[in-house]
Structures are given as C-alpha cells and as structure tokens.
Amino acid sequence: MKILFLDHSGVLGGAELFLLDIARQYRDSCLVALMAEGSFQARLEQEQIPVRVLSKQAIRVNRGSNAWQSFTSLKQIVPLVLEVLKLSRDYDVICTNTAKALVVGTIASFLSRRPLVHCLHDILTAEHFSLINFRLVPILTNWFAERVIANSKATQTAFVAAGGKTELTEVIYNGFLPERFQQSPENATQLRQQLRLEGRFVVGSFSRLSPWKGQHVLLEALTHCPNNVVALLVGDALFGEQEYVDRLHQQVAELGLHDRVKFLGFRADVSELMSACDLVAHTSTSPEPFGRVIVEAMLCQRPIVATAAGGVVELIEPGATGWLVPGNNAEKLAEVINECYADPDLAAAIAQRAYQHASQAFHLDGTCQKVAQVLERVVADQALTPIQTGTVL
Ligand code: UDP
Ligand code: GLC
C-alpha cells in the first residue's frame, strides 16, 4: 500500500509528531508532502522518511481571516492542488493531517479518484478556526473522505456537532513508545544542576507558547505557592504568537517571579526535561483535543495536573492517574501544586499508576495497527469500486 501523507505545517506541533510516528512505519512506501519548509521537513529527512516540500510559503489563512482573504488564498492553493494531483497518481491513498491539507487533498483526491482519509487533530469550534475552515472541514470530509480519524472522543463529538457524519469517524488516540521516555535519575539530577534547580519544586509546562495553552495561568498559580516552587516553561511560539510571549515575560516581571520562572524555548529533549520536573502542568484554557504532553508526562513517571476539558478527560482518571482542574483557575491549580509539594509519596504513587496505564493504553503499536487497518480497508474498498478502472487524469 502506497500512501501520500499531506500536512500544511513546516513546524513540529503535536499533529506533526503523530504523523511522524505513523509515516515511520511506511518509510519504503510513502511520501510526506508538506506545504511549508521548516523543522518538520528536517526531522523527516533525519529519519529517512521520504518528504517533499510543495511550497516555500505557508498558506495565509488563519482563524482571523475573512471570506475575501480565504478566497485570495486560492492563488496559493491552485498550484498546490495540481502538484498533489500529479503526485497522487503514484499512491493508493491520500491521508491528510491538517485542515489546510484537507482542502488541497480533497480536490486532488476527487480528480485522481484516490481515496482520502483525514486525520482530525482539532476540536472544531469557531473560536479556533476561520469561519470558512470551520464549516469546510465537515463539508469536505462528508463529501470526499472515506474515513475521519479523530484523536479523541471530544474531537469526534465536536466534528459531529459541526455537521460531520458520525459514521465516517473512528477514534484513534496518539501512541507512544514507553522506552523513549525512560530516563535515569542521575540524568535528571544532572539536568537540575545545569538548570540551577536543585532543591526547588519544579513544575514543568511543555506546550508551545500560545494564549490558549494557558501558560499565564501557571505563572499566576505560582503566586499562591511557596517561593520554593518554580516553573519551567518549555516550548516556543510556533505560529506567530510573539505578542503572547512578550505578555508572559511582562507578567513574570509584574509578579516579581524572575527567579522562579525559566523560559527554555523549543527543546528536543522533552523526556529528559520532564524527568527533571516534580510535576507537569497542562493548563489549556480551551478544550485540548488530545494533549500528547499529558501521556508523555505519565510515561516519564511524573505526576500530571491538567485542565478538565476536551480529550484530556479521556486521558486522566482524577485521583488515580493524575489531577484535573477547571480551566483558567490559578487557585485550583495552585491547590494541586501545593498538595503534590506537601505529599511527594502520594504524587509518586499516582505517577506510577499513570505510567502503568499509559504504557498499555497509549502504546504506539496499537495506534499504528489501528491506523493501518483504516488505510488498508479504504484501499481494499476502493479496489472493489468499478469507478477505479478509469481515472480523470
Ligand atoms: N514539544 C517539543 N518541544 C517543546 C515543547 C513541546 O518537542 O519544546 C512536543 C511535546 O513533547 C508534544 C508536542 O510537542 O509531543 C505537543 O503536542 P500536544 O499534543 O501536547 O500539543 P499541540 O502543541 O500539538 O497542540
Ligand atoms: C493537535 C492538538 C493536540 C493533539 C495533537 C495530536 O495539535 O491540538 O491536542 O494532541 O494534535 O493529535
């Protein structure tokens, strides 16, 4: 089975890390086509996964775009469609991984009569998408996709509420290799020394810096915790949220937290850094579709506290495998931080249970197997369809 994966992003967000894990299984029979240059391309090349960048300039439509801006982006989309159409003739199935990739992929799939599977990583709300994209995803998938892989039940529910067909969907969680998250306690100690964090209670945040990821809530929570509690902010503004980064630095200054907050920027050594934390906090202020970071913390055997919304509630059983708190509530977050600070044995027991659970429930083998089944079924069904005998181009 030959697969053409399509993603619009040049950078490594969670959706791209999911795709990387899937594409790795098809190194010899796939191509990952990207619509922008960047670190994602470099990572695919590094892992010898065939990759082609179709456009050096990212498509300029975002959630603030109006109908006219979306319309003018067609100038960028047409050449992309033509290129994907040409490529798709050499593949059995097109698998799109982002909304913009879906727009390009559906047209190409329709014209080349290659089946389309869409991986849906977002909770479809008008708040997170341009209105056009918000409406377009359910319409395009209803008409053209054979299957929609949703990264959580929350993502699936929002898709159906936005008009998507339930019967198209299948929930497949992100998967992980537990052994990639094993770190020696010596490494963690060394890292804490390097970062000058010895003797402090370290709360780590491992998300890109973006208003809805809610790093500001963690900073505020620190003001309700003892001075010994510090925050490590790992991640960068991946999609142009520089204004938010400036606001976070300003907040640190206003709250007098200079010596209690470290900004580390985007890092490739997440599991090492997580293992050096006492607690991982995931503070999204909007429902998180899945939240890879949460499972990664569990696999690093670190206690996790996260906002009770979206797919997150499917990942954590409160009190058993982690803590859930209401979004945008610094006091409640601080209560959990203080509880973990005061009772490290309880935190360790919960982290241990979470590790056992996550290594089974979110193992990469299971995820890859489920994705493979979807793709194989779609390709097999297509082979049985009479229309297959003649392609448009
Ligand atoms: N991540 C990373 N380096 C960083 C910050 C985050 O590699 O500096 C990774 C993190 O380990 C996780 C992914 O980025 O695998 C973020 O995925 P998640 O699903 O948590 O959120 P997203 O950013 O995709 O909404
Ligand atoms: C998206 C979502 C995130 C999810 C990731 C992988 O980036 O925002 O919640 O974990 O995709 O599915």
Side-chain angles (χ1 to χ4, degrees):
M1 177 175 56
K2 295 183 76 190
I3 310 161
L4 177 60
F5 293 106
L6 211 55
D7 191 296
H8 86 271
S9 175
V11 291
L12 274 168
E16 288 66 40
L17 289 166
F18 166 87
L19 176 54
L20 181 72
D21 282 335
I22 300 301
R24 200 181 287 119
Q25 320 296 314
Y26 300 97
R27 246 193 212 109
D28 301 328
S29 58
C30 82
L31 175 69
V32 181
L34 304 179
M35 302 183 196
E37 288 181 314
S39 51
F40 187 24
Q41 176 194 3
R43 184 68 186 273
L44 288 157
E45 282 169 352
Q46 194 190 330
E47 299 212 20
Q48 280 106 44
I49 299 168
V51 52
R52 184 164 322 165
V53 177
L54 305 179
S55 160
K56 296 208 180 334
Q57 214 177 34
I59 299 177
R60 287 183 299 267
V61 190
N62 54 43
R63 77 181 114 139
S65 300
N66 56 32
W68 173 248
Q69 285 161 331
S70 303
F71 177 74
T72 52
S73 70
L74 280 178
K75 262 204 317 229
Q76 283 180 283
I77 290 175
V78 171
L80 283 172
V81 170
L82 292 176
E83 208 164 335
V84 174
L85 179 58
K86 216 159 55 179
L87 283 173
S88 63
R89 284 180 295 175
D90 294 329
Y91 294 86
D92 301 309
V93 55
I94 300 175
C95 184
T96 52
N97 199 49
T98 57
K100 287 171 191 167
L102 174 70
V103 173
V104 173
T106 36
I107 310 173
S109 135
F110 176 71
L111 294 174
S112 66
R113 298 212 170 121
R114 295 299 186 272
L116 182 119
V117 171
H118 182 57
C119 298
L120 183 60
H121 294 279
D122 299 300
I123 291 190
L124 292 180
T125 57
E127 187 201 342
H128 273 268
F129 286 88
S130 69
L131 202 58
I132 293 250
N133 258 350
F134 166 58
R135 297 227 169 101
L136 223 53
V137 172
I139 292 174
L140 290 179
T141 45
N142 283 352
W143 282 0
F144 300 107
E146 299 302 322
R147 299 297 284 163
V148 172
I149 294 175
N151 62 357
S152 66
K153 291 181 196 151
T155 296
Q156 178 190 43
T157 305
F159 171 75
V160 173
K165 288 185 192 159
T166 319
E167 62 272 24
L168 278 183
T169 62
E170 182 150 342
V171 174
I172 302 181
Y173 291 130
N174 280 232
F176 305 81
L177 284 175
E179 56 269 29
R180 279 205 205 142
F181 296 87
Q182 303 311 306
Q183 299 297 330
S184 71
E186 293 75 33
N187 273 357
T189 311
Q190 215 174 15
L191 203 47
R192 282 172 83 107
Q193 277 164 1
Q194 276 166 19
L195 294 167
R196 308 217 167 138
L197 294 169
E198 302 115 303
R200 317 295 295 273
F201 184 87
V202 183
V203 185
S205 159
F206 292 82
S207 297
R208 56 198 160 85
L209 303 181
S210 174
W212 75 275
K213 290 291 186 179
Q215 282 88 356
H216 59 282
V217 183
L218 174 58
L219 297 186
E220 200 193 321
L222 284 188
T223 64
H224 303 284
C225 301
N227 280 341
N228 200 31
V229 177
V230 299
L232 206 57
L233 300 192
V234 182
D236 210 344
L238 292 189
F239 302 107
E241 301 96 335
Q242 193 50 44
E243 203 189 304
Y244 182 63
V245 180
D246 297 342
R247 268 193 356 243
L248 288 175
H249 284 281
Q250 202 183 331
Q251 191 185 1
V252 167
E254 281 167 9
L255 297 175
L257 294 171
H258 308 86
D259 57 346
R260 294 178 63 194
V261 179
K262 279 188 196 296
F263 289 86
L264 298 192
F266 185 89
R267 298 277 297 233
D269 53 348
V270 164
S271 60
E272 286 88 337
L273 287 163
M274 268 186 186
S275 304
C277 291
D278 296 291
L279 173 69
V280 174
H282 190 269
T283 52
S284 297
T285 55
S286 295
E288 180 74 45
F290 177 82
R292 291 176 61 90
V293 160
I294 292 161
V295 179
E296 290 169 358
M298 291 174 164
L299 293 173
C300 287
Q301 303 179 44
R302 299 291 89 196
I304 173 84
V305 52
T307 302
V312 174
V313 300
E314 299 161 47
L315 310 183
I316 295 177
E317 191 188 328
T321 57
W323 284 262
L324 290 177
V325 288
N328 234 333
N329 191 326
E331 284 85 6
K332 289 275 182 232
L333 176 61
E335 273 175 29
V336 174
I337 296 174
N338 290 333
E339 191 185 341
C340 288
Y341 183 45
D343 195 347
D345 291 343
L346 170 75
I350 288 189
Q352 201 37 240
R353 213 173 301 134
Y355 168 72
Q356 301 297 345
H357 169 66
S359 11
Q360 303 279 319
F362 304 106
H363 199 288
L364 183 61
D365 290 352
T367 301
C368 289
Q369 231 169 51
K370 287 181 190 139
V371 172
Q373 274 165 11
V374 169
L375 295 171
E376 278 160 17
R377 217 179 308 133
V378 160
V379 170
D381 288 351
Q382 178 81 356
L384 296 174
T385 324
I387 213 156
Q388 233 269 332
T389 49
T391 51
V392 169
L393 280 195

